[in-house]
Amino acid sequence: GAVVSQHPSRVICKSGTSVKIECRSLDFQATTMFWYRQFPKKSLMLMATSNEGSKATYEQGVEKDKFLINHASLTLSTLTVTSAHPEDSSFYICSLAGDSYEQYFGPGTRLTVT
Amino acid sequence: AQSVTQLGSHVSVSEGALVLLRCNYSSSVPPYLFWYVQYPNQGLQLLLKYTSAATLVKGINGFEAEFKKSETSFHLTKPSAHMSDAAEYFCAVKVTGNTPLVFGKGTRLSVIA
């Protein structure tokens, strides 16, 4: 399967600042990538679907101006949390659509906003 | 829209006992079904997947699952639990290659020595 990396793995930022999370596909060209959010002891909630070269499609209730997604190439997608607040603290996981209906997941990024 | 329901947010078994984690799905078209495991503070690891081939699917670490269309179920089993199986398990469904996986709420498996 494809290898997906995320950077950083952990980040702590102050309230009001912006944080960028990178998701890279190391050995697979991903036309479609997904961003999920996971609260402690909860399931993964889809935030948005991004297709290379076009605007992301956000799920209902996800603020597109707060969570900026850029799928600039077939191997890189970024999620920027703008003006972060403590309630944005969460585990963010990217995933790319691979072959055989499988999705390949990154290791996740733990964001803590103080 | 498709969805999955995992019965039991927490399952506790003794070491060596049978593991049974339940998953029922809802889909208007033939689904593709997956089980993932997540260890604390880690990402997801694919255990197994059903993609319309054999209904009994064998995965890693001794797990297997059976797709039962009549029951709309895809329960995960393992004959003998090991301490290292303690983790969070997620059932997930998708209907096409480029649509996202939809996850169940998860079942936390505890293994008692």
Side-chain angles (χ1 to χ4, degrees), chain A residues 27-104:
Chain A
D27 56 358
F28 188 89
Q29 294 192 320
T31 305
T32 303
M33 288 189 174
F34 309 103
W35 285 94
Y36 291 84
R37 180 176 181 176
Q38 185 179 31
F39 290 102
K41 301 188 186 300
K42 298 292 185 182
S43 187
L44 283 77
M45 300 297 296
L46 180 68
M47 299 176 67
T49 299
S50 73
N51 291 295
E52 186 264 339
S54 61
K55 290 184 178 181
T57 302
Y58 291 81
E59 294 299 301
Q60 190 173 11
V62 178
E63 299 176 59
K64 62 180 181 180
D65 294 330
K66 182 169 187 59
F67 298 99
L68 302 179
I69 291 172
N70 183 9
H71 193 160
S73 73
L74 292 174
T75 59
L76 174 64
S77 177
T78 60
L79 167 66
T80 301
V81 183
T82 62
S83 186
H85 288 91
E87 58 266 30
D88 299 325
S89 298
S90 195
F91 194 52
Y92 293 88
I93 304 174
C94 72
S95 175
L96 59 91
D99 299 327
S100 302
Y101 304 96
E102 192 165 334
Q103 276 182 223
Y104 303 106

Side-chain angles (χ1 to χ4, degrees), chain B:
Chain B
Q2 66 274 19
S3 65
V4 290
T5 302
Q6 291 184 241
L7 298 176
S9 60
H10 183 209
V11 171
S12 185
V13 300
S14 298
E15 191 174 20
L18 172 71
V19 175
L20 171 60
L21 304 182
R22 300 178 187 274
C23 173
N24 288 89
Y25 68 90
S26 174
S27 177
S28 57
V29 298
Y32 300 93
L33 295 159
F34 303 78
W35 275 100
Y36 287 87
V37 61
Q38 186 179 35
Y39 297 97
N41 297 311
Q42 293 188 27
L44 297 176
Q45 182 180 9
L46 177 67
L47 280 177
L48 49 80
K49 62 183 177 183
Y50 167 76
T51 56
S52 75
T55 56
L56 181 62
V57 182
K58 294 188 183 298
I60 62 171
N61 302 338
F63 285 94
E64 62 181 37
E66 186 172 9
F67 173 72
K68 291 187 177 180
K69 184 178 179 180
S70 61
E71 299 177 8
T72 62
S73 68
F74 190 58
H75 301 330
L76 182 70
T77 60
K78 181 174 181 177
S80 177
H82 192 272
M83 297 297 288
S84 60
D85 295 327
E88 190 83 21
Y89 291 80
F90 293 99
C91 182
V93 63
K94 68 159 47 183
V95 293
T96 68
N98 282 334
T99 57
L101 280 166
V102 175
F103 287 87
K105 293 188 175 182
T107 298
R108 181 164 60 91
L109 175 66
S110 297
V111 181
I112 303 167

